[in-house]
Amino acid sequence: MEKILVLLLVTLAVAHAVPDPRGIIINLDDGELCLNSIQCKSRCCHRTSGLSLARCAPNASESSECSAKTIYGVYYKCPCEWGLTCEADKSIMGFITNTNFGICQDASSSRK
């Protein structure tokens, strides 16, 4: 009987130690506060203005406004979904001021 009780306690301890698939610092869902895009499942940490709090947001869909991927990790417009390209101004001034917005387009049709 003692062996069964010990085995049950060990099983409960192991089951309780399994991490939650939703993270506290990384693997954040859309709408949760973030500091950098690497924390978000969607890889887009979005803010509406320079003074707003950044939150995880879905990537931009086809024909939506987008930002080219940057090293900053926080966007005013999210980058495009997988398979789309952001046809944006790639000037150094737009990169520095984070105003290099464009439109998401299908990568195969933008080459034509």
Side-chain angles (χ1 to χ4, degrees):
M1 183 69 178
E2 288 178 21
K3 290 180 181 178
I4 293 174
L5 184 59
V6 169
L7 182 61
L8 180 63
L9 288 174
V10 168
T11 304
L12 287 173
V14 169
H16 183 68
V18 174
D20 187 7
R22 186 190 144 289
I24 295 174
I25 297 174
I26 59 170
N27 206 22
L28 300 176
D29 291 322
D30 290 348
E32 295 188 272
L33 293 174
C34 56
L35 296 172
N36 195 299
S37 290
I38 196 77
Q39 295 177 281
C40 304
K41 286 181 182 176
S42 64
R43 296 292 186 245
C44 178
C45 187
H46 173 265
R47 70 170 12 135
T48 55
S49 70
L51 298 176
S52 65
L53 295 173
R55 295 182 178 273
C56 294
N59 288 327
S61 58
E62 191 170 6
S63 301
S64 298
E65 279 191 303
C66 60
S67 289
K69 293 193 184 243
T70 67
I71 58 172
Y72 301 124
V74 179
Y75 298 97
Y76 290 110
K77 307 285 183 192
C78 286
C80 298
E81 294 174 342
W82 189 82
L84 302 176
T85 59
C86 186
E87 297 296 325
D89 174 30
K90 304 245 191 316
S91 69
I92 190 70
M93 193 62 180
F95 180 76
I96 292 170
T97 60
N98 201 12
T99 58
N100 51 345
F101 307 133
I103 302 292
C104 288
Q105 297 179 350
D106 187 5
S108 61
S109 65
S110 64
R111 291 184 193 137
K112 292 179 182 177

XYZ file of all heavy atoms in Angstrom:
839
model
N 0.817 -1.200 0.000
C 0.000 0.000 0.000
C 0.860 1.262 0.000
O 0.533 2.242 -0.666
C -0.926 -0.065 1.219
C -1.872 1.081 1.303
S -3.073 0.945 -0.033
C -4.070 2.308 0.317
N 1.953 1.241 0.753
C 2.844 2.402 0.817
C 3.498 2.662 -0.537
O 3.669 3.810 -0.942
C 3.919 2.197 1.887
C 3.404 2.293 3.304
C 4.495 2.043 4.322
O 5.687 2.195 3.977
O 4.157 1.695 5.452
N 3.848 1.591 -1.225
C 4.471 1.741 -2.537
C 3.498 2.386 -3.530
O 3.893 3.229 -4.335
C 4.947 0.388 -3.073
C 6.122 -0.173 -2.322
C 6.551 -1.498 -2.896
C 7.721 -2.044 -2.110
N 8.156 -3.354 -2.605
N 2.267 2.012 -3.467
C 1.265 2.602 -4.365
C 1.068 4.074 -4.047
O 0.983 4.915 -4.946
C -0.069 1.826 -4.259
C 0.111 0.413 -4.815
C -1.180 2.556 -5.008
C -1.085 -0.478 -4.622
N 1.045 4.424 -2.785
C 0.887 5.816 -2.375
C 2.084 6.659 -2.826
O 1.914 7.768 -3.347
C 0.709 5.904 -0.862
C 0.436 7.288 -0.307
C -0.831 7.870 -0.910
C 0.350 7.252 1.201
N 3.288 6.133 -2.663
C 4.492 6.840 -3.102
C 4.484 7.004 -4.622
O 4.788 8.074 -5.147
C 5.771 6.099 -2.625
C 7.009 6.661 -3.299
C 5.887 6.159 -1.115
N 4.119 5.949 -5.328
C 4.050 6.021 -6.787
C 3.015 7.053 -7.232
O 3.257 7.823 -8.162
C 3.707 4.639 -7.361
C 3.637 4.530 -8.873
C 4.986 4.886 -9.493
C 3.216 3.142 -9.293
N 1.882 7.110 -6.563
C 0.850 8.092 -6.876
C 1.352 9.512 -6.625
O 1.150 10.411 -7.444
C -0.411 7.811 -6.055
C -1.580 8.755 -6.278
C -2.066 8.649 -7.718
C -2.696 8.455 -5.310
N 2.044 9.738 -5.526
C 2.589 11.065 -5.210
C 3.653 11.491 -6.229
O 3.691 12.641 -6.651
C 3.156 11.092 -3.796
C 2.130 11.064 -2.664
C 2.821 10.942 -1.322
C 1.261 12.301 -2.702
N 4.511 10.574 -6.630
C 5.537 10.884 -7.632
C 4.883 11.211 -8.968
O 5.266 12.167 -9.655
C 6.537 9.708 -7.770
C 7.427 9.886 -8.986
C 7.369 9.569 -6.509
N 3.863 10.462 -9.344
C 3.152 10.715 -10.598
C 2.487 12.087 -10.577
O 2.555 12.841 -11.559
C 2.089 9.625 -10.839
O 2.731 8.351 -10.811
C 1.380 9.832 -12.155
N 1.858 12.446 -9.466
C 1.242 13.762 -9.350
C 2.281 14.878 -9.406
O 2.050 15.926 -10.012
C 0.426 13.857 -8.053
C -0.885 13.078 -8.040
C -1.506 13.116 -6.651
C -1.849 13.625 -9.064
N 3.426 14.676 -8.773
C 4.483 15.692 -8.793
C 5.017 15.909 -10.207
O 5.236 17.043 -10.638
C 5.612 15.290 -7.855
N 5.213 14.833 -10.958
C 5.706 14.942 -12.331
C 4.660 15.611 -13.213
O 4.971 16.489 -14.023
C 6.101 13.554 -12.884
C 6.354 13.619 -14.372
C 7.313 13.022 -12.151
N 3.398 15.251 -13.046
C 2.327 15.847 -13.853
C 2.185 17.328 -13.559
O 1.922 18.132 -14.451
C 1.011 15.124 -13.585
N 2.384 17.711 -12.326
C 2.275 19.127 -11.962
C 3.471 19.932 -12.483
O 3.354 21.116 -12.760
C 2.179 19.265 -10.443
C 1.989 20.670 -9.993
N 0.821 21.369 -10.240
C 2.816 21.522 -9.351
C 0.940 22.589 -9.752
N 2.139 22.704 -9.211
N 4.617 19.297 -12.655
C 5.830 19.991 -13.096
C 5.865 20.238 -14.600
O 6.682 21.015 -15.072
C 7.062 19.188 -12.692
N 4.988 19.595 -15.360
C 4.960 19.788 -16.814
C 4.559 21.228 -17.098
O 3.542 21.715 -16.615
C 3.974 18.801 -17.482
C 3.829 19.101 -18.960
C 4.443 17.382 -17.266
N 5.367 21.973 -17.888
C 5.076 23.385 -18.128
C 3.820 23.590 -18.977
O 3.477 22.764 -19.816
C 6.318 23.894 -18.859
C 6.905 22.682 -19.490
C 6.569 21.530 -18.569
N 3.178 24.704 -18.738
C 2.006 25.107 -19.511
C 2.463 25.481 -20.922
O 3.471 26.164 -21.080
C 1.359 26.308 -18.829
C 0.047 26.711 -19.455
O -0.433 25.989 -20.336
O -0.497 27.744 -19.048
N 1.771 25.046 -21.990
C 2.206 25.392 -23.352
C 2.167 26.897 -23.620
O 2.869 27.401 -24.460
C 1.227 24.642 -24.250
C 0.077 24.280 -23.394
C 0.583 24.213 -21.985
N 1.319 27.636 -22.886
C 1.270 29.085 -23.015
C 2.301 29.654 -22.052
O 2.285 29.379 -20.869
C -0.129 29.598 -22.668
C -0.285 31.065 -22.912
C -1.611 31.505 -22.293
N -1.530 32.810 -21.738
C -0.872 33.168 -20.635
N -0.204 32.300 -19.960
N -0.882 34.400 -20.206
N 3.209 30.454 -22.574
C 4.288 30.966 -21.749
C 3.925 32.217 -20.972
O 2.886 32.832 -21.183
N 4.802 32.592 -20.074
C 4.654 33.830 -19.314
C 5.508 34.914 -19.965
O 5.114 36.065 -20.038
C 5.078 33.606 -17.846
C 4.118 32.621 -17.186
C 5.096 34.922 -17.090
C 4.517 32.220 -15.798
N 6.679 34.522 -20.456
C 7.600 35.484 -21.070
C 7.693 35.266 -22.573
O 7.825 36.214 -23.328
C 8.988 35.385 -20.412
C 8.874 35.769 -18.942
C 9.991 36.273 -21.117
C 10.126 35.569 -18.148
N 7.627 34.040 -23.015
C 7.657 33.741 -24.449
C 6.416 32.934 -24.812
O 5.677 32.493 -23.943
C 8.937 32.981 -24.866
C 9.050 31.671 -24.107
C 10.164 33.840 -24.675
C 10.135 30.771 -24.624
N 6.184 32.767 -26.097
C 5.048 31.999 -26.604
C 3.721 32.664 -26.215
O 2.762 31.997 -25.851
C 5.129 30.555 -26.100
C 4.430 29.593 -27.016
O 4.235 29.869 -28.188
N 4.049 28.451 -26.488
N 3.685 33.998 -26.288
C 2.506 34.755 -25.881
C 1.451 34.765 -26.986
O 1.765 34.805 -28.167
C 2.893 36.195 -25.542
C 3.911 36.367 -24.417
C 4.270 37.838 -24.260
C 3.373 35.811 -23.120
N 0.189 34.750 -26.576
C -0.929 34.807 -27.517
C -1.190 36.248 -27.953
O -0.749 37.201 -27.294
C -2.197 34.248 -26.861
C -2.117 32.749 -26.634
O -1.560 32.058 -27.510
O -2.616 32.278 -25.596
N -1.958 36.406 -29.028
C -2.337 37.743 -29.499
C -3.091 38.486 -28.398
O -3.931 37.905 -27.710
C -3.202 37.641 -30.750
C -2.422 37.170 -31.958
O -1.177 37.135 -31.889
O -3.047 36.840 -32.981
N -2.754 39.773 -28.233
C -3.400 40.600 -27.227
C -2.636 40.715 -25.925
O -2.925 41.591 -25.112
N -1.644 39.870 -25.711
C -0.874 39.929 -24.472
C 0.260 40.946 -24.606
O 0.807 41.145 -25.695
C -0.321 38.551 -24.122
C -1.421 37.559 -23.799
C -0.886 36.254 -23.265
O -0.580 35.367 -24.085
O -0.767 36.137 -22.036
N 0.615 41.588 -23.495
C 1.673 42.596 -23.488
C 3.022 41.962 -23.824
O 3.317 40.845 -23.391
C 1.756 43.267 -22.121
C 0.563 44.121 -21.720
C 0.724 44.603 -20.279
C 0.401 45.305 -22.644
N 3.833 42.689 -24.601
C 5.145 42.177 -25.003
C 6.157 43.312 -25.039
O 5.794 44.489 -25.069
C 5.059 41.498 -26.364
S 4.392 42.553 -27.664
N 7.420 42.956 -25.060
C 8.512 43.914 -25.208
C 9.235 43.740 -26.527
O 9.874 44.657 -27.014
C 9.515 43.754 -24.057
C 8.987 44.069 -22.664
C 10.016 43.691 -21.616
C 8.621 45.533 -22.566
N 9.151 42.528 -27.106
C 9.848 42.217 -28.338
C 9.071 41.145 -29.087
O 8.409 40.309 -28.471
C 11.267 41.732 -28.027
C 12.153 41.737 -29.230
O 11.896 41.049 -30.205
N 13.211 42.521 -29.173
N 9.171 41.151 -30.404
C 8.412 40.212 -31.230
C 8.789 38.753 -30.986
O 7.979 37.863 -31.226
C 8.594 40.551 -32.708
O 7.926 41.753 -32.991
N 9.984 38.506 -30.503
C 10.411 37.125 -30.260
C 9.556 36.469 -29.185
O 9.445 35.250 -29.127
C 11.919 37.076 -29.896
C 12.462 35.668 -30.030
C 12.172 37.602 -28.519
C 12.721 35.266 -31.433
N 8.881 37.263 -28.359
C 8.032 36.725 -27.299
C 6.697 36.200 -27.825
O 6.058 35.388 -27.175
C 7.730 37.813 -26.267
C 8.930 38.300 -25.507
C 8.539 39.420 -24.567
O 8.379 40.549 -24.996
N 8.360 39.087 -23.313
N 6.255 36.671 -28.973
C 4.916 36.373 -29.480
C 4.902 35.138 -30.374
O 5.840 34.904 -31.129
C 4.386 37.557 -30.282
S 4.376 39.104 -29.364
N 3.813 34.382 -30.298
C 3.641 33.240 -31.202
C 3.641 33.701 -32.648
O 4.185 33.051 -33.519
C 2.325 32.519 -30.908
C 2.321 31.695 -29.659
C 0.973 31.023 -29.487
C 0.918 30.230 -28.219
N -0.425 29.646 -27.992
N 3.019 34.865 -32.900
C 2.915 35.394 -34.261
C 4.192 36.102 -34.714
O 4.312 36.474 -35.859
C 1.750 36.382 -34.339
O 2.007 37.506 -33.515
N 5.107 36.340 -33.804
C 6.356 37.074 -34.062
C 6.088 38.529 -34.432
O 6.829 39.136 -35.197
C 7.205 36.405 -35.139
C 7.711 35.034 -34.767
C 8.717 35.138 -33.648
N 9.336 33.853 -33.337
C 9.187 33.217 -32.179
N 8.427 33.726 -31.249
N 9.787 32.086 -31.968
N 4.997 39.113 -33.880
C 4.710 40.529 -34.088
C 4.284 41.179 -32.784
O 3.190 40.918 -32.277
C 3.623 40.737 -35.135
S 3.244 42.498 -35.345
N 5.152 42.019 -32.249
C 4.844 42.831 -31.076
C 4.470 44.210 -31.628
O 5.312 44.921 -32.173
C 6.062 42.892 -30.163
S 5.769 43.681 -28.584
N 3.197 44.571 -31.516
C 2.621 45.728 -32.214
C 2.244 46.825 -31.232
O 1.736 46.566 -30.153
C 1.376 45.236 -32.963
C 0.573 46.327 -33.583
N -0.513 46.888 -32.962
C 0.697 46.960 -34.771
C -1.033 47.813 -33.740
N -0.313 47.880 -34.846
N 2.519 48.074 -31.611
C 2.040 49.230 -30.842
C 1.397 50.207 -31.800
O 1.781 50.310 -32.960
C 3.174 49.865 -30.058
C 4.194 50.571 -30.869
C 5.186 51.401 -30.059
N 5.137 51.143 -28.656
C 6.193 50.977 -27.885
N 7.386 51.081 -28.398
N 6.072 50.745 -26.616
N 0.380 50.928 -31.312
C -0.348 51.858 -32.171
C 0.304 53.225 -32.217
O 0.152 53.951 -33.189
C -1.804 52.000 -31.708
O -1.818 52.378 -30.334
C -2.552 50.692 -31.879
N 1.035 53.600 -31.153
C 1.738 54.886 -31.127
C 2.992 54.735 -30.277
O 3.182 53.717 -29.608
C 0.834 55.990 -30.553
O 0.636 55.784 -29.171
N 3.813 55.763 -30.274
C 5.053 55.716 -29.516
C 4.856 55.629 -28.015
O 5.746 55.188 -27.293
N 3.691 56.036 -27.524
C 3.419 56.022 -26.091
C 2.529 54.862 -25.648
O 2.273 54.695 -24.462
C 2.759 57.344 -25.670
C 3.614 58.590 -25.900
C 2.815 59.832 -25.541
C 4.897 58.527 -25.101
N 2.034 54.059 -26.589
C 1.137 52.960 -26.238
C 1.930 51.733 -25.800
O 3.112 51.593 -26.100
C 0.246 52.607 -27.421
O 1.017 52.111 -28.484
N 1.246 50.850 -25.081
C 1.837 49.578 -24.692
C 1.811 48.638 -25.888
O 0.823 48.591 -26.624
C 1.057 48.959 -23.533
C 1.095 49.729 -22.223
C 0.144 49.086 -21.217
C 2.499 49.766 -21.668
N 2.867 47.894 -26.069
C 2.935 46.948 -27.181
C 2.256 45.639 -26.791
O 2.381 45.176 -25.652
C 4.385 46.706 -27.563
N 1.535 45.072 -27.748
C 0.846 43.800 -27.539
C 1.095 42.889 -28.736
O 1.277 43.359 -29.853
C -0.660 44.010 -27.392
C -1.023 44.804 -26.155
C -2.530 44.935 -26.020
N -2.893 45.642 -24.815
C -3.066 45.073 -23.622
N -2.896 43.779 -23.505
N -3.395 45.797 -22.571
N 1.078 41.599 -28.491
C 1.204 40.641 -29.581
C -0.002 40.773 -30.501
O -1.123 40.967 -30.037
C 1.277 39.223 -29.033
S 2.764 38.885 -28.067
N 0.242 40.697 -31.805
C -0.815 40.855 -32.797
C -0.572 39.882 -33.952
O 0.560 39.448 -34.176
C -0.828 42.288 -33.323
N -1.624 39.548 -34.704
C -1.442 38.654 -35.852
C -0.675 39.353 -36.973
O -0.698 40.581 -37.074
C -2.870 38.327 -36.285
C -3.705 39.434 -35.753
C -3.019 39.929 -34.512
N -0.014 38.572 -37.789
C 0.713 39.129 -38.930
C -0.271 39.685 -39.951
O -1.436 39.291 -39.997
C 1.591 38.061 -39.568
C 2.780 37.727 -38.707
O 3.311 38.579 -38.005
N 3.192 36.484 -38.730
N 0.216 40.591 -40.775
C -0.622 41.234 -41.784
C -0.972 40.243 -42.892
O -0.138 39.462 -43.343
C 0.105 42.437 -42.367
N -2.215 40.303 -43.329
C -2.674 39.428 -44.403
C -2.465 40.109 -45.758
O -2.035 41.265 -45.831
C -4.151 39.082 -44.203
O -4.921 40.258 -44.172
N -2.783 39.399 -46.826
C -2.589 39.937 -48.175
C -3.395 41.223 -48.364
O -4.528 41.330 -47.911
C -3.001 38.898 -49.219
C -2.594 39.283 -50.623
C -2.775 38.151 -51.615
O -3.315 37.097 -51.254
O -2.364 38.335 -52.766
N -2.803 42.219 -48.982
C -3.366 43.545 -49.262
C -3.525 44.412 -48.013
O -4.186 45.440 -48.063
C -4.716 43.438 -49.976
O -4.551 42.738 -51.187
N -2.933 44.008 -46.889
C -2.962 44.813 -45.666
C -1.672 45.605 -45.544
O -0.645 45.248 -46.132
C -3.093 43.921 -44.434
O -4.288 43.215 -44.460
N -1.718 46.688 -44.754
C -0.502 47.458 -44.498
C 0.461 46.627 -43.664
O 0.044 45.855 -42.795
C -0.830 48.748 -43.739
C -1.345 49.859 -44.614
C -1.392 51.173 -43.860
O -2.069 51.213 -42.815
O -0.746 52.125 -44.323
N 1.754 46.811 -43.925
C 2.768 46.026 -43.239
C 4.040 46.836 -43.041
O 4.200 47.910 -43.613
C 3.096 44.773 -44.053
S 3.718 45.143 -45.714
N 4.910 46.314 -42.222
C 6.253 46.852 -42.043
C 7.240 45.781 -42.474
O 6.986 44.586 -42.280
C 6.530 47.185 -40.578
O 5.814 48.295 -40.161
N 8.354 46.209 -43.016
C 9.428 45.269 -43.294
C 10.005 44.827 -41.950
O 9.945 45.564 -40.972
C 10.496 45.933 -44.148
N 10.527 43.618 -41.882
C 11.096 43.134 -40.624
C 12.268 44.020 -40.223
O 13.073 44.420 -41.048
C 11.539 41.688 -40.765
C 10.370 40.763 -40.957
C 10.759 39.326 -40.794
C 9.574 38.457 -41.088
N 9.125 37.675 -40.001
N 12.325 44.334 -38.917
C 13.390 45.195 -38.409
C 14.115 44.532 -37.254
O 13.656 43.515 -36.719
C 12.820 46.536 -37.895
O 12.028 46.278 -36.734
C 11.982 47.233 -38.945
N 15.213 45.140 -36.850
C 15.965 44.627 -35.705
C 15.382 45.104 -34.384
O 15.706 44.575 -33.339
C 17.451 45.052 -35.793
C 17.565 46.569 -35.857
C 18.119 44.401 -36.973
C 18.992 47.091 -35.748
N 14.479 46.090 -34.431
C 13.913 46.635 -33.195
C 13.008 45.646 -32.487
O 12.950 45.617 -31.271
C 13.137 47.926 -33.481
C 13.965 49.006 -34.104
C 13.594 49.574 -35.313
C 15.127 49.460 -33.496
C 14.346 50.565 -35.894
C 15.891 50.448 -34.072
C 15.495 51.001 -35.268
O 16.248 51.978 -35.842
N 12.221 44.910 -33.230
C 11.353 43.911 -32.645
C 9.990 44.405 -32.213
O 9.194 43.643 -31.694
N 9.679 45.699 -32.390
C 8.351 46.242 -32.104
C 7.900 47.006 -33.342
O 8.658 47.791 -33.895
C 8.367 47.170 -30.872
C 6.990 47.733 -30.607
C 8.859 46.420 -29.643
N 6.669 46.751 -33.764
C 6.186 47.284 -35.033
C 4.960 48.178 -34.854
O 4.140 47.938 -33.971
C 5.795 46.141 -35.967
C 6.929 45.230 -36.332
C 7.143 44.034 -35.645
C 7.785 45.542 -37.366
C 8.184 43.189 -35.984
C 8.822 44.707 -37.725
C 9.015 43.535 -37.020
O 10.046 42.706 -37.374
N 4.824 49.175 -35.735
C 3.581 49.943 -35.835
C 2.614 49.237 -36.777
O 1.411 49.368 -36.659
C 3.852 51.364 -36.321
C 4.562 52.193 -35.288
C 5.882 52.568 -35.457
C 3.912 52.590 -34.133
C 6.534 53.320 -34.502
C 4.555 53.343 -33.169
C 5.875 53.711 -33.357
O 6.517 54.442 -32.405
N 3.135 48.492 -37.721
C 2.374 47.630 -38.630
C 3.092 46.283 -38.626
O 4.309 46.224 -38.770
C 2.340 48.166 -40.063
C 1.871 49.590 -40.201
C 0.390 49.700 -40.033
C -0.008 51.163 -40.252
N -1.362 51.401 -39.838
N 2.361 45.210 -38.465
C 2.993 43.887 -38.383
C 3.552 43.447 -39.733
O 3.033 43.829 -40.779
C 1.983 42.858 -37.899
S 1.622 42.991 -36.146
N 4.596 42.613 -39.711
C 5.102 42.033 -40.958
C 4.061 41.092 -41.564
O 3.093 40.705 -40.911
C 6.332 41.248 -40.511
C 6.693 41.774 -39.184
C 5.432 42.274 -38.570
N 4.281 40.716 -42.792
C 3.321 39.872 -43.522
C 3.335 38.431 -43.024
O 4.310 37.955 -42.453
C 3.667 39.865 -45.006
S 3.578 41.490 -45.758
N 2.224 37.754 -43.312
C 2.127 36.329 -43.048
C 3.135 35.583 -43.914
O 3.636 36.111 -44.906
C 0.715 35.827 -43.369
C -0.354 36.381 -42.483
C -1.745 35.981 -42.933
O -1.921 35.565 -44.103
O -2.661 36.105 -42.118
N 3.381 34.332 -43.549
C 4.322 33.503 -44.295
C 3.863 33.380 -45.745
O 2.687 33.191 -46.026
C 4.415 32.120 -43.660
C 5.497 31.288 -44.235
C 6.809 31.314 -43.913
C 5.355 30.318 -45.265
N 7.497 30.419 -44.672
C 6.623 29.794 -45.516
C 4.284 29.855 -46.005
C 6.858 28.815 -46.467
C 4.511 28.882 -46.963
C 5.791 28.375 -47.178
N 4.793 33.523 -46.680
C 4.499 33.411 -48.106
C 4.173 34.733 -48.774
O 4.046 34.791 -49.984
N 4.025 35.801 -47.990
C 3.760 37.129 -48.538
C 4.992 38.008 -48.351
O 5.801 37.774 -47.462
C 2.567 37.776 -47.826
C 1.245 37.025 -47.875
C 0.204 37.746 -47.038
C 0.762 36.876 -49.305
N 5.121 39.017 -49.194
C 6.219 39.976 -49.052
C 5.648 41.360 -48.816
O 4.568 41.686 -49.297
C 7.120 40.016 -50.306
O 6.308 40.370 -51.424
C 7.788 38.688 -50.555
N 6.395 42.157 -48.091
C 5.973 43.525 -47.803
C 6.672 44.449 -48.792
O 7.878 44.667 -48.716
C 6.330 43.898 -46.369
S 5.684 45.500 -45.886
N 5.906 44.960 -49.753
C 6.439 45.893 -50.738
C 6.453 47.279 -50.088
O 5.475 48.004 -50.141
C 5.593 45.874 -52.004
C 5.571 44.549 -52.719
C 6.940 44.132 -53.245
O 7.718 45.022 -53.654
O 7.225 42.932 -53.233
N 7.584 47.605 -49.446
C 7.676 48.842 -48.659
C 8.892 49.652 -49.089
O 9.801 49.149 -49.741
C 7.783 48.508 -47.183
N 8.887 50.904 -48.659
C 10.036 51.781 -48.858
C 11.184 51.245 -48.010
O 11.054 51.111 -46.799
C 9.668 53.205 -48.428
C 10.856 54.138 -48.459
O 11.769 53.917 -49.287
O 10.877 55.087 -47.661
N 12.292 50.934 -48.629
C 13.415 50.354 -47.906
C 14.536 51.378 -47.689
O 15.700 51.033 -47.605
C 13.942 49.149 -48.666
C 12.891 48.088 -48.948
C 13.195 46.840 -48.235
C 12.403 45.637 -48.590
N 11.048 45.580 -48.778
N 14.170 52.655 -47.591
C 15.181 53.689 -47.391
C 15.714 53.651 -45.961
O 15.046 53.168 -45.043
C 14.599 55.076 -47.681
O 13.657 55.421 -46.702
N 16.907 54.167 -45.760
C 17.517 54.189 -44.438
C 16.728 55.076 -43.481
O 16.596 54.760 -42.299
C 19.014 54.618 -44.506
C 19.706 54.413 -43.164
C 19.143 56.058 -44.944
C 19.922 52.993 -42.792
N 16.141 56.158 -43.975
C 15.358 57.042 -43.108
C 14.083 56.345 -42.626
O 13.720 56.457 -41.458
C 15.015 58.341 -43.846
C 14.489 59.390 -42.946
S 15.767 59.782 -41.751
C 14.933 61.010 -40.821
N 13.428 55.613 -43.499
C 12.246 54.853 -43.099
C 12.591 53.767 -42.099
O 11.831 53.478 -41.179
N 13.761 53.164 -42.262
C 14.222 52.127 -41.345
C 14.492 52.717 -39.960
O 14.094 52.151 -38.946
C 15.480 51.464 -41.910
C 16.034 50.379 -41.045
C 15.427 49.136 -41.001
C 17.158 50.594 -40.281
C 15.938 48.130 -40.195
C 17.674 49.593 -39.478
C 17.066 48.362 -39.438
N 15.146 53.865 -39.899
C 15.490 54.500 -38.624
C 14.240 54.986 -37.901
O 14.092 54.797 -36.689
C 16.488 55.650 -38.842
C 17.831 55.081 -39.307
C 16.657 56.482 -37.579
C 18.803 56.137 -39.776
N 13.335 55.610 -38.619
C 12.141 56.186 -37.989
C 10.978 55.202 -37.896
O 9.931 55.545 -37.365
C 11.674 57.431 -38.770
O 11.374 57.039 -40.109
C 12.726 58.507 -38.750
N 11.163 53.976 -38.383
C 10.146 52.928 -38.345
C 8.855 53.378 -39.054
O 7.757 53.172 -38.566
C 9.860 52.495 -36.906
C 9.226 51.123 -36.829
O 9.186 50.392 -37.809
N 8.732 50.776 -35.667
N 9.033 54.020 -40.207
C 7.890 54.457 -41.004
C 7.914 53.839 -42.400
O 7.275 54.352 -43.307
C 7.864 55.996 -41.136
O 9.097 56.417 -41.721
C 7.651 56.665 -39.803
N 8.633 52.770 -42.551
C 8.755 52.121 -43.859
C 7.610 51.122 -44.057
O 7.800 49.928 -44.128
C 10.114 51.436 -44.007
C 10.451 50.528 -42.842
O 9.825 50.593 -41.796
N 11.433 49.677 -43.025
N 6.378 51.655 -44.151
C 5.200 50.817 -44.317
C 4.982 50.488 -45.786
O 5.358 51.230 -46.668
C 3.947 51.508 -43.765
C 4.101 51.973 -42.347
C 3.715 53.239 -41.979
C 4.630 51.139 -41.369
C 3.851 53.674 -40.672
C 4.781 51.565 -40.064
C 4.383 52.830 -39.716
N 4.325 49.372 -46.015
C 4.007 48.953 -47.375
C 2.727 48.139 -47.379
O 1.930 48.201 -46.446
N 2.548 47.337 -48.425
C 1.369 46.486 -48.599
C 1.842 45.045 -48.791
O 2.773 44.796 -49.553
C 0.544 46.928 -49.822
C 0.100 48.372 -49.692
C -0.654 46.010 -50.044
C -0.910 48.629 -48.596
N 1.196 44.106 -48.101
C 1.527 42.683 -48.264
C 1.029 42.187 -49.610
O -0.120 42.422 -49.980
C 0.860 41.857 -47.159
S 1.585 42.062 -45.553
N 1.918 41.522 -50.331
C 1.573 40.945 -51.624
C 2.083 39.533 -51.698
O 3.078 39.178 -51.055
C 2.183 41.775 -52.756
C 1.654 43.186 -52.805
C 2.300 43.996 -53.924
O 3.261 43.553 -54.541
N 1.763 45.177 -54.157
N 1.405 38.729 -52.510
C 1.828 37.363 -52.718
C 3.219 37.368 -53.347
O 3.456 38.063 -54.329
C 0.829 36.653 -53.627
C 1.103 35.174 -53.768
O 2.013 34.650 -53.087
O 0.395 34.527 -54.555
N 4.123 36.605 -52.767
C 5.512 36.598 -53.242
C 5.622 36.143 -54.690
O 6.423 36.668 -55.465
C 6.363 35.690 -52.353
N 4.795 35.188 -55.108
C 4.876 34.699 -56.488
C 4.333 35.697 -57.489
O 4.847 35.834 -58.586
C 4.134 33.371 -56.621
O 2.768 33.541 -56.290
N 3.320 36.479 -57.112
C 2.769 37.453 -58.060
C 3.570 38.750 -58.079
O 3.541 39.476 -59.056
C 1.306 37.775 -57.731
O 1.225 38.423 -56.489
N 4.338 39.039 -57.019
C 5.110 40.287 -56.995
C 6.363 40.192 -57.861
O 6.945 41.199 -58.223
C 5.503 40.657 -55.557
O 6.372 39.682 -55.020
N 6.775 38.982 -58.212
C 7.961 38.804 -59.066
C 7.663 39.037 -60.527
O 8.527 39.226 -61.336
C 8.526 37.392 -58.887
C 9.135 37.182 -57.534
C 9.753 35.804 -57.456
N 10.065 35.494 -56.067
C 9.859 34.349 -55.471
N 9.324 33.354 -56.146
N 10.166 34.165 -54.224
N 6.398 38.986 -60.886
C 6.015 39.092 -62.309
C 6.135 40.503 -62.780
O 6.040 41.470 -62.137
C 4.589 38.586 -62.497
C 4.496 37.108 -62.260
C 3.067 36.632 -62.426
C 2.995 35.143 -62.142
N 1.655 34.646 -62.218
